[in-house]
Amino acid sequence: GQSLEQPSEVTAVEGAIVQINCTYQTSGFYGLSWYQQHDGGAPTFLSYNALDGLEETGRFSSFLSRSDSYGYLLLQELQMKDSASYFCAVRDGDNFNKFYFGSGTKLNVKP
Amino acid sequence: NAGVTQTPKFQVLKTGQSMTLQCAQDMNHEYMSWYRQDPGMGLRLIHYSVGAGITDQGEVPNGYNVSRSTTEDFPLRLLSAAPSQTSVYFCASTDGASGEETQYFGPGTRLLVL
């Protein structure tokens, strides 16, 4: 099977930088995705890493280390609107068409 | 483009009742899927489809049926609802043919089974 671990909750202040970690165990690996979900809303795609290294998209960056089975989402210049839950996700290593999500990290941004 | 749409937004059922959750997408995506989300847990895959006429089970398929007669629609059926099926249900689609990773989610259906 596949498993992903994330911290359940993180708190940071407006304007700060926060890192949300994700460690995964999969029988095979294609890449790591990140999604954002505001309370009561639908998940929205943020980023995808298939290769080691850092991918930057505006204030958000995502990092992957395949050798460590580890990735993180980095949010810079935090804004109140970044308060949401963040999920990492992988494809099933044995079945490309199946996706598995972590249990999510709730980010609280304080003024 | 409306993207992924789901109906109804809210539903209350009694144990044993049946219902169908509707999902449609207008992006011509081949891949569609259903997830359930429970408090404190991530999204868990119920069923998925890689194209019209092709469906398969996900991580938590028991108690749910699906069919895919068209590219656009992917309904989820609960044949005999149970309180354990109280959850938020999300439908998603992906342009699987191009290797795209982005899953586009619908707004969700909040289901309460009494």
Side-chain angles (χ1 to χ4, degrees):
Chain A
Q2 328 297 315
S3 70
L4 299 98
E5 291 192 13
Q6 307 177 231
S8 59
E9 194 165 352
V10 172
T11 299
V13 296
E14 206 173 5
I17 300 173
V18 71
Q19 179 175 311
I20 298 174
N21 299 321
C22 174
T23 57
Y24 58 86
Q25 286 186 316
T26 61
S27 54
F29 182 74
Y30 296 97
L32 186 70
S33 296
W34 289 93
Y35 287 80
Q36 178 191 60
Q37 184 180 32
H38 287 98
D39 284 348
T44 57
F45 176 82
L46 290 176
S47 66
Y48 174 69
N49 295 66
L51 302 175
D52 287 356
L54 192 69
E55 295 277 346
E56 298 183 58
T57 309
R59 294 188 297 113
F60 292 6
S61 303
S62 55
F63 172 82
L64 177 66
S65 170
R66 294 174 68 115
S67 60
D68 295 322
S69 298
Y70 163 75
Y72 65 73
L73 182 69
L74 191 73
L75 295 81
Q76 301 180 345
E77 301 173 15
L78 280 174
Q79 301 176 7
M80 297 299 292
K81 67 178 182 180
D82 297 329
S83 292
S85 291
Y86 293 84
F87 297 88
C88 55
V90 297
R91 289 183 183 264
D92 187 323
D94 297 322
N95 183 338
F96 183 77
N97 293 309
K98 286 186 176 180
F99 290 86
Y100 287 87
F101 282 75
S103 56
T105 299
K106 185 169 178 60
L107 172 63
N108 302 303
V109 180
K110 295 188 172 181
Chain B
N1 274 356
V4 181
T5 57
Q6 291 183 237
T7 56
K9 291 184 179 180
F10 303 97
Q11 185 70 48
V12 179
L13 291 179
K14 294 181 179 178
T15 297
Q17 286 185 316
S18 63
M19 79 161 295
T20 299
L21 281 64
Q22 301 293 342
C23 173
Q25 52 91 10
D26 61 358
M27 297 175 281
N28 201 33
H29 287 171
E30 291 295 325
Y31 183 93
M32 296 185 74
S33 54
W34 276 102
Y35 293 89
R36 62 176 289 172
Q37 185 175 34
D38 302 301
M41 301 184 72
L43 297 138
R44 291 185 293 169
L45 184 65
I46 304 172
H47 285 284
Y48 66 92
S49 169
V50 297
I54 307 170
T55 64
D56 206 346
Q57 296 181 349
E59 185 183 1
V60 288
N62 292 343
Y64 308 94
N65 281 348
V66 291
S67 60
R68 183 97 179 268
S69 55
T70 67
T71 299
E72 294 77 21
D73 300 299
F74 190 43
L76 179 73
R77 281 184 287 277
L78 285 72
L79 297 179
S80 179
S84 61
Q85 293 179 304
T86 293
S87 189
V88 181
Y89 292 85
F90 289 100
C91 178
S93 74
T94 304
D95 185 4
S98 69
E100 175 63 53
E101 281 299 313
T102 305
Q103 291 194 74
Y104 298 88
F105 285 85
T109 294
R110 284 150 183 79
L111 177 66
L112 173 63
V113 182
L114 302 175

